[in-house]
Amino acid sequence: MMNRCGLLTLQKEPVPLKSIEVELEVRDHVATVVSTLNYENKEDKPLEAVFVFPLPGDAAVCHFSAKIGQTQIVAEVKEKQKAREEYDDALSSGQQAFLLEESDQSPDIFSLSVGSLPPGESASIRLEYVTELSVQADDGLRFCLPAVLNPRYQPQGSEGAGVQVTSVPASLVPYSLSFSARVSSPRPISKVESNCSLDPLQYLNTDQTQATVKLAAGHKFDRDVELLIYYKDAHQPTAVVEAGQASAEPGSLMGDSVVMVSLYPEFPQSVMSSMASCGEFVFLMDRSGSMGCPITNSKQQETRISSARDTLLLLLKSLPMGCYFNIYSFGSGYEHIFPKSVEYSQQTMEEALKKVEQMEANLGGTEILQPLKHIYSQPCIPNQPRQLFVFTDGEVGNTKEVIDLVKKNSGSHRCFSFGIGEGASSALINGMAKEGGGHAQFITGTDRMQPKVMQSLRFALQPAVVDISVTWDLPKEVSVTVLSPPITALFQGQRSLIYAQLSGQCSEAAEGCVTVKYSLAGHPSENQLHFSLSPAEDTGLTVHRLGARTLIRSLEMDERENRGQQDGGVKEKVVQLSVQSGVSSSFTAFIAVNKDNSEMIQGPLVRRNIPTPLCMDAAPFPAPSAFMPNSMAKCERTTKESIFRGVVHDMAAAPEQPPRDPLLHLVSLQGASGCWLLDPALATALGKTNEEVEKSKPEKANSEVWATILALIWLHGFKMDAKDEWELLAMKAASWLRAQNAPCVTECVDAGNVLLGCSVKKEALGL
């Protein structure tokens, strides 16, 4: 059957998934998510329902059970092939069975098979996972319940078959979602924000450390549900010790205590104020068809690619003189602006900006592996540390191959990754940054891309932290086994997590200490955290499961690196750990068989794929013979696959360009050295006539000094809300001004304030 945009419900074929209920429990920065999926077979034939859905890329799935009528069956974790065989055997002998497994290509996609649901029968499936919440640029903790599973572009020749996803327009998603969250923290909760309508936050106690919040009624599960949780004084280092499971074997991971340490290194101000003036900055921009879609459905005119162009403008203006740079873009193939990285100058900056202005989302599919291989094959430039910035809407089928490549080259660069729009693969975006020693950001909903990217540029300009070591000081009867991979990157104010297994007995009052030592710009530094070894109450086995998941992911990566070598022991180790901890892995699956139903189910099973929402962003791939009707949304016309297959559609006339953002207009006029020229274009950007600007200039002032001071006053006077975006280029302008040793700076600042109607102090401009 042809997957024509997945509009299966129009064929009047009933979809057996009726509703999804999600309960979220957030404790500090760890989330436990319980999803209940309710199925009902309204057909007159027995059904097998298959639902392919996304989860956060670093989630640890730790419980799976099914309830049919009054019978409750809890699934077990088994080696994947064994679980599949058991599932098939159960179906062929007429029993009901349920199988939950992780995709071989990407750890953030799962498929759930509900087998042998008799006519008229209902089944309720409960799925539980735990995950850490990532820290955002503004210190908010981000939780995302992914709804949108964009079709994953499967590059030619990559391993394994792609996941088959059926998608329908959001208005036709035939199931509803109810979602509630309970948040508790040692620190007060200041606010919770979301991209979806929420009922008001309800505090449960007077010190505001516990609260509940839920989605407003009537939410269609047609987009990712994103929550941003803000605590007061969020950046406190903490350690949580969790007692082992009484029934587990002492000495095993589940039998011993496990500690989760969160560190927030604070670097000396003297080092932080000296931004690097060197580096090779390589920007890799996705130009596949789906980058032509709106960033958000509410702001139709701003597409992902237009936002990316504006972001590249800010990045290019903010680079330090003396560095090197290049810009690559990719789709089914890839292009570069310069054959190799060039020195940053007025001429190379202008040449790059001309090319950036012409960038469109017209390069087809998402083949990110080849351009990465090309970039890594370029020799590094001595004394110019390589910083790679990757922008993508993150829809690739070979996630693990890409992450492995970044890890292999982690010694030669830092990788900063940006997931644009809903449905970007969290496994890909987080995995690239983690293995590349950089930082990941997600740009969704009403977010502007620019402040997040500029924060990452600040990180990239921080001197790299080297020689990182972690030491433990514990009572002599306690030994420690670290479960996390070694820390490879530290950034000012960003959290680093360490999981460790603690073996042995100690007194209730015993204390431990963990010390992180590192070297920053030639200065040795350390951060210490003292913590009590007595276990926290009431944490369930959350910390154990997250620790197990961390260790499983590291082992899986080792297994892929050493594939083909004789050591087959890693896979066995992963399977053993996964079964013991009850946490899913790429080598295991959850299997549940209802052995109680004595009546065998008669007749062949009918298979039904349950559709996921098709966001505005990406139409599913048509079958080769399926041409999309011209009435489809323009965005759907430019899906990666249709371009990739050479199916070219008549594009509607381009919409009128929206007026240029005044901030970006002013920024576009800045020179590479940091100064502005006194010309009519600058006067227009400042909202003045050329004559007014010329006439107000103090007599002895140099025109470029005057122009640059005016631009800085305008930024400080009118655009303080966007300071994150222009701060670096303003610092560059201020250092250019200081280098001029120009007379009458004070007069220029005074005259500029009068002309622009501002009252900005000279000190605020950094002069």
Side-chain angles (χ1 to χ4, degrees):
M1 181 171 136
M2 209 159 63
N3 175 11
R4 178 178 286 237
C5 285
L7 300 175
L8 299 182
T9 47
L10 294 187
Q11 323 300 355
K12 300 286 179 278
E13 289 185 359
V15 172
L17 181 62
K18 297 296 292 173
S19 63
I20 303 178
E21 295 154 24
V22 178
E23 290 171 21
L24 166 69
E25 168 115 17
V26 176
R27 288 167 184 254
D28 212 4
H29 60 257
V30 171
T32 303
V33 184
V34 177
S35 296
T36 307
L37 307 164
N38 298 307
Y39 290 82
E40 185 182 352
N41 180 7
K42 288 190 168 171
E43 297 192 45
D44 52 7
K45 302 180 277 295
L47 273 186
E48 178 186 21
V50 180
F51 185 33
V52 174
F53 58 98
L55 285 182
D58 48 8
V61 176
C62 53
H63 173 88
F64 175 56
S65 59
K67 189 173 183 182
I68 300 153
Q70 293 308 303
T71 312
Q72 175 91 5
I73 330 161
V74 177
E76 294 174 69
V77 178
K78 296 192 176 176
E79 192 276 324
K80 197 179 259 186
Q81 197 49 43
K82 272 192 195 136
R84 284 173 180 168
E85 286 166 12
E86 199 172 315
Y87 177 78
D88 292 342
D89 290 348
L91 296 198
S92 56
S93 62
Q95 289 176 308
Q96 288 163 333
F98 304 85
L99 180 72
L100 177 74
E101 54 184 327
E102 185 181 300
S103 146
D104 291 336
Q105 278 75 42
S106 185
D108 60 347
I109 301 178
F110 281 75
S111 70
L112 169 61
S113 305
V114 177
S116 296
L117 201 53
E121 184 74 87
S122 297
S124 165
I125 284 167
R126 182 183 160 101
L127 168 75
E128 188 177 321
Y129 63 87
V130 287
T131 185
E132 298 138 4
L133 304 186
S134 59
V135 184
Q136 299 304 285
D138 60 358
D139 297 343
L141 291 173
R142 176 179 186 264
F143 168 76
C144 180
L145 179 71
V148 180
L149 178 60
N150 292 343
R152 295 294 163 96
Y153 178 83
Q154 195 65 25
Q156 288 178 311
S158 69
E159 300 173 19
V163 177
Q164 285 307 301
V165 182
T166 303
S167 305
V168 298
S171 58
L172 295 173
V173 170
Y175 42 86
S176 62
L177 168 78
S178 69
F179 176 91
S180 62
R182 182 187 170 107
V183 183
S184 56
S185 164
R187 294 172 288 284
I189 301 152
S190 45
K191 60 179 175 175
V192 175
E193 294 177 350
S194 176
N195 61 333
C196 303
S197 299
L198 297 176
D199 287 346
L201 188 68
Q202 304 280 328
Y203 286 110
L204 303 178
N205 57 2
T206 48
D207 56 7
Q208 302 192 339
T209 56
Q210 292 184 11
T212 59
V213 67
K214 56 177 191 272
L215 274 187
H219 176 82
K220 269 282 188 200
F221 199 12
D222 58 352
R223 62 196 136 140
D224 295 352
V225 176
E226 189 179 51
L227 283 192
L228 292 167
I229 299 162
Y230 296 86
Y231 299 131
K232 292 185 178 136
D233 309 322
H235 282 199
Q236 302 302 317
T238 53
V240 177
V241 176
E242 183 177 82
Q245 216 173 356
S247 58
E249 197 182 318
S252 68
L253 173 61
M254 299 308 285
D256 281 340
S257 293
V258 171
V259 62
M260 172 175 66
V261 178
S262 330
L263 298 165
Y264 291 90
E266 289 296 331
F267 299 158
Q269 190 49 48
S270 55
V271 179
M272 294 315 300
S273 54
S274 64
M275 288 288 186
S277 58
C278 60
E280 178 196 8
F281 296 87
V282 180
F283 304 108
L284 178 59
M285 181 61 69
D286 189 340
R287 282 174 56 196
S288 57
S290 56
M291 286 289 288
C293 305
I295 276 209
T296 164
N297 295 350
S298 60
K299 289 202 293 201
Q300 290 293 325
Q301 80 284 3
E302 185 172 34
T303 59
R304 296 172 180 181
I305 195 73
S306 67
S307 182
R309 284 195 298 262
D310 292 345
T311 303
L312 281 171
L313 165 71
L314 279 169
L315 281 167
L316 286 172
K317 295 290 182 176
S318 303
L319 291 180
M321 291 297 275
C323 75
Y324 284 72
F325 79 102
N326 201 355
I327 299 173
Y328 291 78
S329 53
F330 68 94
S332 303
Y334 64 91
E335 299 175 356
H336 43 65
I337 289 184
F338 305 106
K340 59 180 193 183
S341 294
V342 294
E343 191 167 350
Y344 177 71
S345 66
Q346 185 64 27
Q347 186 192 339
T348 54
M349 180 189 80
E350 282 176 8
E351 199 178 324
L353 282 172
K354 268 199 200 89
K355 300 263 179 68
V356 166
E357 275 166 26
Q358 295 158 6
M359 281 187 176
E360 292 297 341
N362 56 2
L363 293 186
T366 313
E367 290 266 13
I368 194 170
L369 201 60
Q370 293 314 313
L372 277 176
K373 283 181 176 171
H374 176 82
I375 290 166
Y376 293 141
S377 74
Q378 302 289 307
C380 289
I381 302 165
N383 304 319
Q384 301 284 351
R386 182 174 285 170
Q387 316 278 358
L388 174 64
F389 284 65
V390 180
F391 299 84
T392 178
D393 50 11
E395 302 162 27
V396 300
N398 56 345
T399 304
K400 289 180 183 175
E401 277 183 87
V402 173
I403 293 171
D404 290 350
L405 180 67
V406 173
K407 181 175 183 184
K408 206 168 111 186
N409 291 279
S410 59
S412 65
H413 78 306
R414 287 197 280 188
C415 178
F416 297 86
S417 54
F418 305 90
I420 303 168
E422 295 191 9
S425 160
S426 60
L428 178 75
I429 306 302
N430 287 327
M432 289 178 80
K434 190 172 174 188
E435 297 307 334
H439 184 64
Q441 303 258 25
F442 288 86
I443 297 134
T444 57
T446 53
D447 291 350
R448 275 169 67 82
M449 192 184 299
Q450 292 80 7
K452 293 196 167 187
V453 175
M454 298 315 287
Q455 187 208 27
S456 290
L457 179 59
R458 275 187 208 92
F459 285 157
L461 289 167
Q462 283 179 20
V465 175
V466 293
D467 304 332
I468 303 171
S469 69
V470 177
T471 52
W472 298 79
D473 183 11
L474 297 165
K476 60 177 184 298
E477 57 274 19
V478 178
S479 63
V480 64
T481 308
V482 178
L483 306 172
S484 309
I487 299 175
T488 54
L490 287 175
F491 294 107
Q492 168 71 19
Q494 283 297 307
R495 184 185 68 206
S496 294
L497 282 177
I498 306 170
Y499 293 94
Q501 177 180 342
L502 303 175
S503 308
Q505 295 295 317
C506 61
S507 68
E508 284 290 297
E511 273 212 339
C513 173
V514 63
T515 306
V516 179
K517 294 185 178 175
Y518 51 89
S519 176
L520 179 68
H523 303 280
S525 290
E526 64 173 57
N527 290 115
Q528 257 192 0
L529 175 65
H530 291 267
F531 60 95
S532 160
L533 289 175
S534 67
E537 283 173 35
D538 196 26
T539 52
L541 286 167
T542 310
V543 174
H544 279 75
R545 284 167 176 156
L546 287 170
R549 192 275 333 268
T550 303
L551 185 54
I552 285 168
R553 291 278 181 253
S554 303
L555 288 168
E556 285 171 343
M557 192 162 244
D558 292 347
E559 199 273 339
R560 294 200 298 275
E561 278 178 6
N562 303 319
R563 197 173 284 166
Q565 295 172 14
Q566 290 315 299
D567 178 28
V570 178
K571 183 179 170 182
E572 275 75 67
K573 216 177 193 172
V574 171
V575 171
Q576 189 187 355
L577 185 60
S578 175
V579 169
Q580 183 201 350
S581 63
V583 168
S584 62
S585 74
S586 57
F587 302 126
T588 51
F590 280 93
I591 171 78
V593 177
N594 183 5
K595 302 198 165 93
D596 293 355
N597 58 332
S598 46
E599 286 178 44
M600 292 307 166
I601 292 159
Q602 303 303 316
L605 285 181
V606 183
R607 183 178 167 110
R608 292 276 179 261
N609 285 337
I610 293 172
T612 55
L614 161 69
C615 77
M616 275 296 297
D617 312 348
F621 308 158
S625 58
F627 278 70
M628 295 190 182
N630 278 341
S631 60
M632 285 277 174
K634 250 186 304 178
C635 185
E636 294 178 7
R637 286 205 204 104
T638 57
T639 73
K640 310 173 190 184
E641 192 71 353
S642 61
I643 295 169
F644 181 61
R645 292 189 196 281
V647 181
V648 181
H649 299 284
D650 57 314
M651 293 297 288
E656 271 185 53
Q657 286 299 308
R660 185 100 200 240
D661 175 307
L663 169 63
L664 294 172
H665 183 194
L666 181 74
V667 167
S668 69
L669 302 172
Q670 187 185 27
S673 64
C675 73
W676 274 265
L677 298 179
L678 191 61
D679 63 12
L682 175 69
T684 309
L686 298 171
K688 299 290 171 194
T689 65
N690 197 38
E691 194 183 15
E692 285 173 310
V693 172
E694 293 276 7
K695 209 165 71 192
S696 308
K697 178 174 90 68
E699 201 181 331
K700 292 184 177 149
N702 162 307
S703 356
E704 288 177 12
V705 169
W706 169 237
T708 304
I709 287 174
L710 282 179
L712 285 178
I713 291 173
W714 187 90
L715 289 171
H716 283 83
F718 299 105
K719 287 290 168 188
M720 279 307 279
D721 58 334
K723 189 179 179 190
D724 287 350
E725 301 179 31
W726 53 258
E727 188 174 29
L728 288 174
L729 57 91
M731 281 165 65
K732 186 158 82 161
S735 67
W736 177 85
L737 281 167
R738 289 194 299 272
Q740 304 311 301
N741 278 328
C744 59
V745 166
T746 309
E747 291 93 310
C748 286
V749 173
D750 293 345
N753 274 319
V754 171
L755 173 67
L756 298 174
C758 297
S759 52
V760 179
K761 298 265 194 296
K762 186 171 122 178
E763 295 69 39
L765 302 178
L767 301 176

